[in-house]
Amino acid sequence: MRNDLEFFQKKIGVELAKSHGLTSKEYKTILELIEREPTITELGVFSAMWNEHCSYKSTKKWLRTLPTTGPKVICGPGENAGIIDIDDGDALVFKIESHNHPSYIDPFQGAATGVGGILRDIFTMGARPIVTMNALSFGCEDKNKVNHLLSEVVNGIGSYGNSFGVPNLGGELRFDESYEGNCLVNVFAAGVVKADKIFYSGATQSNLPVVYLGAKTGRDGIGGATMASSEFNSEKESERPTVQIGDPFMEKCLLEACLELMKTDSVISIQDMGAAGLTCSAVEMAGKGKLGMELDLDNVPIREIGMHAYEMMLSESQERMLMTLSPGKETLARAIFKKWDLDFAIVGRTIKEDRFKVFHNSKLEVDLPLQALSTMSPEYNRKWKIKRENVKSPSIQKHALKPIECLKTLLSNLNYCSRKIIWEQFDHMVMANTVLPPGSNAGVVLIPENDKAIACTLDCTPRYCSQDPVLGGKQAVTEGFRNLIITGASPLAITNNLNFGNPEKTNVMGQIVGCIQGISEASIALGLPVVSGNVSLYNETDGEPILATPTIGTVGLIRSVSDLIRIKANSMDRLYLIGNNTGHLGQSALLKEILKISGRDAGPVPEINFSEEINAAKFIAELNTKKIIVGGHDISDGGLILATAEMCISNNLGIKIDESDIDWLFGEDQGLYLLVCPEKNIPLFEHVTKKFQIPFQIIGTFGGDLFEIGNDQIPLNELKSLHKNGLNHFFPLTIWTIYSIVSGLISGKTP
């Protein structure tokens, strides 16, 4: 909080600039640009617009190398969200963003406002949100800390999303010691809009009224964007700024009011107030239109008395929008927002001059060249080195490993056990459009009033990315591609959330560059343009960075729900493995979670063959079109044995697998799928395999209540119990567990 008089009377200079996250060189550049010392508010504005979170100054150079165009792309990076054409005049608006540092400081509000922020990005463009997902990463050493963080983050996500009324279809959850002091909360959202009804953020002409909409401005979140652009350390714990406070019910009203106004041809441009609040929204709106802007803070609705211009410009109070209107439409717009009980205030106008002027108490507090804040922010070519070591797979005593025991360990492991206890706290059925719930190969929702559906997935394997950034980046994109293929979708585009440590460190910057190179190569090879995204850097505490975690959100189109592929099997159905399984154990879950071997000691990352990936995708599409298969599952962490166990648990069916080789069972070769074929369709299945020259073999036949590997076996119910209960201690008293206990008592059975 910056409301103390002493702060606003501090001497302006390089030391104060450094406390705002600016370097001495950056401060010198500011002095040269404006030819004087800045005011305290101007310094705050520069610090907000030139920090890593808003300017991407360490990554701009590399983000430009990503493929961002394609036949289906309507809008690529640079707007509130990306947009792709999904046919029939419909468009999909989607994006992923992080709320990492706020969620560590205040896990409930940090996660909740992360959901609120990504939803505003979607409906700002005229789309109604239809789905959210999240990718969460936590430490695992301090049990009390992870208990607190996980439960509160999940509560925050559920509280906001459930109240707003948009389905949450799960996503990713991982645990690793590298996230101990810096959890990751990445939130994805998508919405639909008519392709001819899209709204953008850039103002188009001068002398347009600039309108403030939504909630009042308070002191919450001041300096949040700057805080997100610096490392944590134990000494700074007490100095961290207040996290934003969200109100999902007000945001729901804001959504409806904005969409209602958008139907009136009144809106010229619109921008949500997220990071850096009014500063960033105003600068971006004017900057994209190559205009200037004047603001009068005396007209801004506030909820706290005595607010300084600095506080009002940098506040990150939630549920706020900035809009430019067609002249003469102010009365109409005001009436709509009054109906929804939201603030409406004309706070400025666009101007021709390249100036950003801010008045408060009739005093000019900010007078800066606007382009200096938007397009002239620093851009760095930091030193980097990609770590791609020639490492050998470790020599392990495979004969000492019993497949069943290894499988039991993985199924109960925090990283691979059931996430149902978390998903139950998210409303995935609100809006009644959910086709595939959390826990499937991908989340699937119907497009309202349509037979088409959208499939979406979030993917990343950080241990791959940290050991070999290029291959790790490729794999993250390709895994998302596979998840959509095995759902029956046509993959269309991706969004990314690049979570890394301090870019000023050569090795971390190398991870960033390498992952972007890998993402780019995979995106081009698979025809998946990158249309939106977010960069979150300085994710480290006391100098220890997180694992490189470039989360990839992939979206695809299912032409008809009849084309959907589920994780489904029936008794006597055959389970086929397709693809080349060489038993690659390097960087595998087996080594990490069972043998406790990680980093370079865990060997090389598995390679990706894009031609094989594309051929397998075409093969599965033909099988699906001809209704030869009834279900399927991709193979990733834990190899084919973990994927098989998940299928058996999902369908309550056992299986017998004759092969017992550890490499073959737990290897993580890429491009592998499990496909389920009824006995009657086997000739057709194998005929199509010959057409595509796809390697295949029969794993086993579904049936019974035992899971058998070679000469060893285990009751399926035992596997189910291990898988189900892995996260229970985090949520001892969920609604579901209370219901189960009560039901058990009533029925006389032990729940």
Side-chain angles (χ1 to χ4, degrees):
M1 189 176 298
R2 306 286 194 185
N3 63 337
D4 57 293
L5 183 63
E6 184 181 348
F7 174 82
F8 296 114
Q9 293 178 340
K10 283 186 176 181
K11 178 177 171 37
I12 307 294
V14 66
E15 292 306 313
L16 189 59
K18 287 180 179 179
S19 73
H20 281 70
L22 296 163
T23 67
S24 54
K25 185 177 179 180
E26 288 168 349
Y27 184 66
K28 183 181 178 183
T29 302
I30 291 171
L31 297 180
E32 292 171 352
L33 280 169
I34 66 176
E35 299 180 336
R36 57 176 173 82
E37 282 190 341
T39 66
I40 184 64
T41 305
E42 289 174 334
L43 185 64
V45 167
F46 267 113
S47 75
M49 295 307 302
W50 282 18
N51 65 50
E52 197 74 64
H53 190 76
C54 293
S55 74
Y56 297 163
K57 57 190 178 185
S58 295
T59 54
K60 278 190 237 183
K61 169 183 170 71
W62 302 104
L63 295 175
R64 293 191 192 101
T65 66
L66 292 169
T68 58
T69 59
K72 291 290 186 180
V73 176
I74 296 174
C75 176
E79 272 293 338
N80 289 297
I83 309 178
I84 55 171
D85 185 348
I86 52 173
D87 301 333
D88 308 311
D90 296 320
L92 186 73
V93 182
F94 65 102
K95 189 182 183 182
I96 187 171
E97 278 203 341
S98 62
H99 231 218
N100 300 335
H101 287 187
S103 297
Y104 187 80
I105 299 165
D106 184 338
F108 182 92
Q109 291 295 347
T113 52
V115 176
I118 196 67
L119 290 172
R120 288 196 303 278
D121 283 336
I122 303 305
F123 70 77
T124 296
M125 304 200 72
R128 182 173 291 278
I130 60 171
V131 61
T132 63
M133 300 180 81
N134 35 262
L136 312 175
S137 303
F138 298 96
C140 54
E141 295 178 335
D142 187 332
K143 303 302 182 186
N144 291 329
K145 182 187 288 185
V146 71
N147 272 349
H148 171 67
L149 290 174
L150 176 60
S151 59
E152 287 296 288
V153 163
V154 169
N155 288 339
I157 292 170
S159 175
Y160 201 103
N162 296 350
S163 301
F164 183 88
V166 63
N168 185 307
L169 299 189
E172 281 199 311
L173 172 64
R174 70 176 57 84
F175 299 85
D176 185 89
E177 54 270 20
S178 75
Y179 307 106
E180 198 70 37
N182 199 128
C183 62
L184 301 183
V185 177
N186 296 175
V187 187
F188 165 94
V192 290
V193 64
K194 289 297 179 182
D196 59 351
K197 301 294 184 182
I198 297 168
F199 289 83
Y200 297 97
S201 60
T204 58
Q205 63 188 70
S206 61
N207 211 33
L208 293 175
V210 177
V211 180
Y212 173 113
L213 308 163
K216 289 179 170 58
T217 294
R219 291 189 170 102
D220 46 325
I222 294 172
T226 300
M227 176 269 295
S229 303
S230 61
E231 294 181 31
F232 281 168
N233 63 61
S234 54
E235 285 75 28
K236 289 175 66 177
E237 188 88 21
S238 63
E239 300 176 9
R240 296 175 184 180
T242 304
V243 174
Q244 312 95 312
I245 307 298
D247 183 341
F249 301 105
M250 181 175 285
E251 179 140 319
K252 177 64 173 176
C253 292
L254 185 61
L255 159 73
E256 300 299 342
C258 286
L259 294 186
E260 183 176 340
L261 182 59
M262 287 169 173
K263 294 177 181 178
T264 67
D265 296 324
S266 301
V267 180
I268 301 296
S269 63
I270 180 170
Q271 176 73 45
D272 83 297
M273 294 193 211
L278 186 55
T279 291
C280 192
S281 59
V283 169
E284 289 188 356
M285 180 177 283
K288 288 174 183 176
K290 294 182 170 49
L291 297 166
M293 186 176 289
E294 289 183 355
L295 295 177
D296 187 351
L297 299 185
D298 294 343
N299 296 329
V300 171
I302 58 175
R303 64 170 186 261
E304 299 185 50
I305 62 172
M307 291 189 70
H308 191 279
Y310 175 103
E311 298 171 305
M312 297 172 72
M313 292 302 296
L314 298 185
S315 167
E316 294 184 5
S317 295
Q318 298 293 284
E319 288 72 57
R320 302 181 299 160
M321 294 282 190
L322 202 66
M323 191 181 284
T324 60
L325 295 176
S326 296
K329 297 288 187 176
E330 296 92 335
T331 301
L332 171 64
R334 188 186 301 274
I336 290 173
F337 276 79
K338 183 179 179 181
K339 180 182 76 172
W340 288 98
D341 197 25
L342 296 166
D343 278 299
F344 177 100
I346 299 171
V347 297
R349 65 185 183 99
T350 56
I351 59 177
K352 290 182 180 180
E353 298 83 6
D354 177 30
R355 304 302 298 176
F356 185 46
K357 295 183 179 182
V358 179
F359 296 87
H360 187 224
N361 295 331
S362 302
K363 179 183 177 184
L364 184 61
E365 294 282 355
V366 176
D367 186 6
L368 299 171
L370 192 139
Q371 292 299 317
L373 299 169
S374 58
T375 61
M376 295 171 63
S377 60
E379 181 175 336
Y380 294 124
N381 183 17
R382 299 199 186 275
K383 294 181 180 179
W384 57 274
K385 182 179 181 181
I386 298 176
K387 183 178 70 174
R388 300 197 74 184
E389 302 175 275
N390 292 319
V391 293
K392 296 181 179 179
S393 294
S395 181
I396 60 176
Q397 300 294 320
K398 296 176 204 174
H399 66 275
L401 299 174
K402 296 182 177 180
I404 289 286
E405 293 302 314
C406 292
L407 177 60
K408 288 166 62 178
T409 300
L410 284 185
L411 281 173
S412 60
N413 182 275
L414 289 179
N415 282 307
Y416 306 111
C417 65
S418 171
R419 274 71 175 119
K420 187 177 181 181
I421 197 169
I422 290 178
W423 299 327
E424 285 170 342
Q425 297 176 69
F426 304 150
D427 190 343
H428 66 269
M429 294 305 296
V430 64
M431 300 178 73
N433 289 322
T434 298
V435 181
L436 282 186
S440 307
N441 289 308
V444 179
V445 289
L446 278 172
I447 298 171
E449 302 177 357
N450 211 304
D451 191 45
K452 296 185 299 188
I454 294 298
C456 45
T457 180
L458 303 181
D459 299 282
C460 183
T461 308
R463 63 181 185 276
Y464 289 2
C465 297
S466 295
Q467 176 58 31
D468 189 324
V470 177
L471 272 178
K474 291 181 187 179
Q475 191 271 344
V477 175
T478 311
E479 186 175 351
F481 175 84
R482 285 188 219 114
N483 279 324
L484 296 195
I485 292 297
I486 201 59
T487 306
S490 298
L492 295 177
I494 65 175
T495 180
N496 57 35
N497 202 138
L498 307 180
N499 306 277
F500 295 89
N502 184 346
E504 298 164 48
K505 298 177 179 178
T506 303
N507 63 319
V508 172
M509 195 65 215
Q511 290 178 343
I512 297 168
V513 173
C515 284
I516 290 174
Q517 288 181 357
I519 292 168
S520 181
E521 187 175 337
S523 299
I524 293 168
L526 300 174
L528 296 173
V530 183
V531 299
S532 61
N534 174 251
V535 178
S536 176
L537 306 183
Y538 296 94
N539 289 292
E540 52 185 87
T541 300
D542 296 326
E544 293 298 321
I546 63 166
L547 291 175
T549 311
T551 305
I552 303 295
T554 314
V555 300
L557 180 66
I558 299 176
R559 304 286 174 184
S560 169
V561 289
S562 61
D563 296 329
L564 190 67
I565 303 173
R566 304 174 186 268
I567 303 176
K568 183 182 177 182
N570 304 297
S571 185
M572 301 307 296
D573 286 347
R574 301 294 195 274
L575 181 62
Y576 280 86
L577 168 69
I578 71 163
N580 289 304
N581 185 10
T582 69
H584 183 100
L585 285 181
Q587 298 299 323
S588 65
L590 178 85
L591 296 183
K592 170 72 169 134
E593 305 296 350
I594 296 174
L595 299 178
K596 308 302 180 185
I597 302 172
S598 59
R600 70 182 311 278
D601 294 335
V605 174
E607 295 283 345
I608 305 277
N609 186 312
F610 292 119
S611 61
E612 290 180 1
E613 296 281 358
I614 293 167
N615 190 49
K618 292 177 179 177
F619 167 70
I620 293 170
E622 181 157 331
L623 290 176
N624 189 35
T625 299
K626 295 180 176 179
K627 305 304 176 186
I628 294 172
I629 57 174
V630 297
H633 197 5
D634 71 305
I635 295 175
S636 55
D637 282 13
L640 75 87
I641 195 63
L642 186 61
T644 302
E646 290 171 347
M647 294 192 79
C648 289
I649 290 169
S650 178
N651 293 282
N652 201 31
L653 287 169
I655 198 168
K656 179 171 173 46
I657 302 169
D658 292 327
E659 181 66 65
S660 60
D661 180 73
I662 286 288
D663 297 34
W664 188 82
L665 292 169
F666 291 90
E668 296 181 11
D669 290 276
Q670 301 295 291
L672 304 182
Y673 296 88
L674 294 174
L675 301 177
V676 182
C677 179
E679 187 175 12
K680 65 179 183 180
N681 291 346
I682 288 175
L684 290 171
F685 183 99
E686 296 187 0
H687 173 75
V688 180
T689 63
K690 292 177 182 177
K691 174 183 174 181
F692 286 88
Q693 298 184 323
I694 290 280
F696 73 93
Q697 63 187 108
I698 295 178
I699 299 295
T701 301
F702 287 102
D705 57 5
L706 295 176
F707 194 93
E708 301 180 70
I709 304 176
N711 297 321
D712 203 359
Q713 63 183 39
I714 185 173
L716 184 63
N717 281 339
E718 186 176 337
L719 286 186
K720 289 171 65 176
S721 180
L722 288 167
H723 189 239
K724 174 186 175 183
N725 298 323
L727 294 174
N728 281 4
H729 62 286
F730 291 119
F731 307 97
L733 288 176
T734 65
I735 292 174
W736 176 255
T737 55
I738 294 171
Y739 172 79
S740 298
I741 292 168
V742 173
S743 299
L745 292 172
I746 293 172
S747 65
K749 298 177 181 179
T750 302

